[in-house]
Amino acid sequence: MLIANVMFSQGNWGNVTKLYKQLKYQDAILEYEKVEKKNKKKEVPPAEVLQIVGDSYQQLGKYREASQVFGNLHQLQKNEMSDEYYRKYDQSLRASGFYKDANRLTKERLLAKNDKGETDRFAKFIKELDSLEGKKSLYTIKNIENNTKNSDFGVMFYGNKVVYSSTKDTVSKKQLYGMNKQPYLVMYQAEMNHSTGNFSNETKFFPEIQNKYHNATPSFSPDFKTVYFSNNPVNKRKLVLDDTRTNNIQIFRVAIQDEKPGKPEELYFADKSYSSGHPAVSTDGKYLYFSSEMPGGKGEADLYRVEIFGDASFGKVENLGDQINTSGREMFPFVQGDMLYFSSDGNYGYGGLDVYKVKINRDGSFGKPTNLGKPVNSEGDDFSYIVDKNDEYGYFSSNRSGGKGDDDIYFFT
């Protein structure tokens, strides 16, 4: 990396790096701003610091701020900027609504690399977005009344009810999540109004299976006798840490009998060294789809599936392949019939995570992913898309501008 004429002492940035490695993105940004205020000579921070700060802004959904930091990184490194950070710069520009700047940046990059394959891929996605702009949307969307100033997302159908996750619990500052300074996620169940999408009669969903950390993204077997969900693994009430002292999200399975849950069971492919989450059971109950950062993937997070056998055991984990996965993040899968819905930030979309759909062929292969377009997708992160079996109504989540809080739940018809 090009770090010539950088006068700042690396020691001034030590706390920024330390906080970032602890996933305390908000604190890392505040520390960066604190050091910058003392930067009277306006010297450029090291490339490593700009990467960390840009990543932190992006993790918190602050794409405009991220685009400014990645812009500084681009000025510092020029053609030595890595593919990963060119992609993140492109994402942050799109998520900020700066499409012309993003397209110009990407064209310059691909021309310099003489990468015909990626150039063709870029042209294909831009053509798709242009065609979507000329079509009348089939969707009518509504921000539901139950959204709070915090994060509310990840609705899943549960018979005649829904289950979703929220950080709306009021707790002491000692119990706030370091990444975004909000409470930890709790799963709630509620009755839904099929006309408005609003929730009523809310209660915590099986509180006995939820720990004091994150509990989110549930998915159910077709008979509702099994629930899978994402959770921070603990052992004797203490977080399970990897070699870098990071607690990675894992998927747990719980049997439900007579409306009472059993003990949460960690799945065989769980590993403390990487995160796996966002479980989604196929409509026929034969497969469990999920997102994971396990080694050997194509990008930051890939989509996988594993066959569920009749005795509740599992088959071999299968990566969904290049047709689905990119160098970015593929997350929040949902299967309805022969259609897989998921979110990705690895394509040239509207910005942040966009929702895509792809047909699952009879042989298990996949067709071509299609962007759902606006208003489902926006400049922000759009994810956790679900739709009923008749394709009449559903929910998705988004941190787009104009919402009530951080992530909001949207109902669509």
Side-chain angles (χ1 to χ4, degrees):
M1 294 181 180
L2 181 64
I3 53 174
N5 63 32
V6 173
M7 303 291 291
F8 249 39
S9 165
Q10 187 67 34
N12 290 332
W13 302 103
N15 285 338
V16 179
T17 303
K18 179 180 178 181
L19 291 166
Y20 174 80
K21 288 182 177 179
Q22 294 173 347
L23 307 185
K24 295 180 179 179
Y25 302 128
Q26 188 66 51
D27 288 339
I29 290 170
L30 291 174
E31 185 67 20
Y32 168 76
E33 292 173 347
K34 177 181 170 183
V35 177
E36 274 286 82
K37 284 182 180 179
K38 297 179 180 179
N39 182 7
K40 295 180 180 179
K41 294 183 179 180
K42 300 299 179 184
E43 294 143 344
V44 180
E48 294 91 338
V49 173
L50 293 174
Q51 290 172 347
I52 285 172
V53 176
D55 283 342
S56 297
Y57 277 125
Q58 206 162 45
Q59 288 288 346
L60 296 175
K62 296 181 177 181
Y63 288 106
R64 188 168 291 246
E65 292 88 343
S67 70
Q68 293 171 350
V69 175
F70 289 141
N72 291 336
L73 179 65
H74 183 239
Q75 288 296 316
L76 180 66
Q77 294 189 310
K78 301 296 183 184
N79 291 332
E80 292 190 24
M81 191 173 179
S82 68
D83 288 342
E84 176 186 0
Y85 282 95
Y86 257 103
R87 178 175 57 79
K88 290 182 176 182
Y89 188 18
D90 175 273
Q91 288 172 0
S92 62
L93 286 170
R94 293 182 189 282
S96 303
F98 302 138
Y99 295 117
K100 290 183 179 179
D101 291 332
N103 290 342
R104 177 177 49 77
L105 175 79
T106 301
K107 286 178 181 177
E108 289 176 358
R109 174 69 165 177
L110 296 177
L111 182 63
K113 291 184 66 178
N114 195 26
D115 188 336
K116 186 179 185 304
E118 189 63 16
T119 300
D120 291 343
R121 180 172 173 271
F122 169 71
K124 180 192 75 172
F125 277 103
I126 298 304
K127 183 178 179 180
E128 180 184 10
L129 293 184
D130 289 342
S131 68
L132 287 171
E133 289 297 313
K135 293 181 180 180
K136 183 179 179 180
S137 175
L138 300 176
Y139 292 87
T140 299
I141 70 170
K142 173 183 177 291
N143 187 303
I144 68 169
E145 293 178 357
N146 307 81
N147 286 312
T148 68
K149 65 180 181 179
N150 284 356
S151 183
D152 308 283
F153 73 92
V155 180
M156 183 57 64
F157 297 123
Y158 179 40
N160 294 322
K161 298 182 179 181
V162 292
V163 180
Y164 73 101
S165 302
S166 176
T167 62
K168 63 185 178 182
D169 259 3
T170 302
V171 295
S172 70
K173 290 185 178 180
K174 291 183 178 180
Q175 293 174 284
L176 295 178
Y177 181 37
M179 181 186 289
N180 58 10
K181 296 302 180 182
Q182 291 187 25
Y184 285 91
L185 288 161
V186 175
M187 293 186 291
Y188 294 86
Q189 62 180 348
E191 297 175 9
M192 66 166 290
N193 184 308
H194 287 75
S195 298
T196 65
N198 295 327
F199 304 152
S200 60
N201 300 321
E202 292 179 288
T203 59
K204 287 186 178 180
F205 174 73
F206 291 149
E208 58 268 49
I209 70 172
Q210 301 192 55
N211 62 30
K212 65 179 182 179
Y213 300 104
H214 285 314
N215 306 271
T217 61
S219 183
F220 298 89
S221 59
D223 59 7
F224 299 106
K225 291 184 178 180
T226 305
V227 60
Y228 300 83
F229 69 104
S230 306
N231 180 269
N232 289 107
V234 297
N235 184 20
K236 295 181 181 180
R237 298 186 178 183
K238 292 184 177 181
L239 291 169
V240 177
L241 306 178
D242 65 10
D243 294 339
T244 65
R245 299 196 60 76
T246 299
N247 177 263
N248 290 302
I249 293 289
Q250 299 298 337
I251 299 171
F252 288 80
R253 175 171 65 179
V254 178
I256 303 173
Q257 187 172 4
D258 299 326
E259 298 186 3
K260 293 183 179 180
K263 184 179 179 181
E265 169 196 1
E266 197 172 69
L267 305 188
Y268 84 88
F269 52 81
D271 193 301
K272 69 177 184 180
S273 64
Y274 57 81
S275 286
S276 297
H278 311 160
V281 183
S282 61
T283 307
D284 58 13
K286 292 183 178 179
Y287 284 94
L288 177 69
Y289 290 76
F290 62 97
S291 178
S292 179
E293 298 171 354
M294 66 175 64
K298 183 177 176 63
E300 294 179 57
D302 279 13
L303 291 186
Y304 296 82
R305 69 181 174 191
V306 60
E307 190 172 1
I308 306 172
F309 297 126
D311 60 356
S313 63
F314 294 97
K316 184 180 179 182
V317 172
E318 173 190 1
N319 187 294
L320 297 195
D322 292 352
Q323 186 79 336
I324 305 292
N325 293 314
T326 68
S327 59
R329 299 177 298 166
E330 278 65 53
M331 312 168 80
F332 299 99
F334 173 76
V335 179
Q336 184 60 270
D338 64 352
M339 197 68 68
L340 167 66
Y341 300 89
F342 66 97
S343 290
S344 172
D345 66 2
N347 297 311
Y348 302 100
Y350 290 101
L353 292 166
D354 275 10
V355 181
Y356 294 82
K357 67 177 180 179
V358 60
K359 186 175 181 180
I360 306 171
N361 300 318
R362 288 186 177 182
D363 63 359
S365 63
F366 298 94
K368 172 188 171 185
T370 303
N371 190 304
L372 291 193
K374 294 180 178 180
V376 171
N377 289 319
S378 68
E379 289 81 6
D381 287 321
D382 307 294
F383 56 98
S384 288
Y385 178 99
I386 67 169
V387 63
D388 79 300
K389 62 182 180 181
N390 297 318
D391 279 341
E392 293 178 350
Y393 64 86
Y395 293 91
F396 67 92
S397 305
S398 179
N399 64 358
R400 66 186 60 188
S401 60
K404 297 176 182 177
D406 185 353
D407 298 314
D408 277 7
I409 295 168
Y410 290 80
F411 176 68
F412 68 80
T413 54

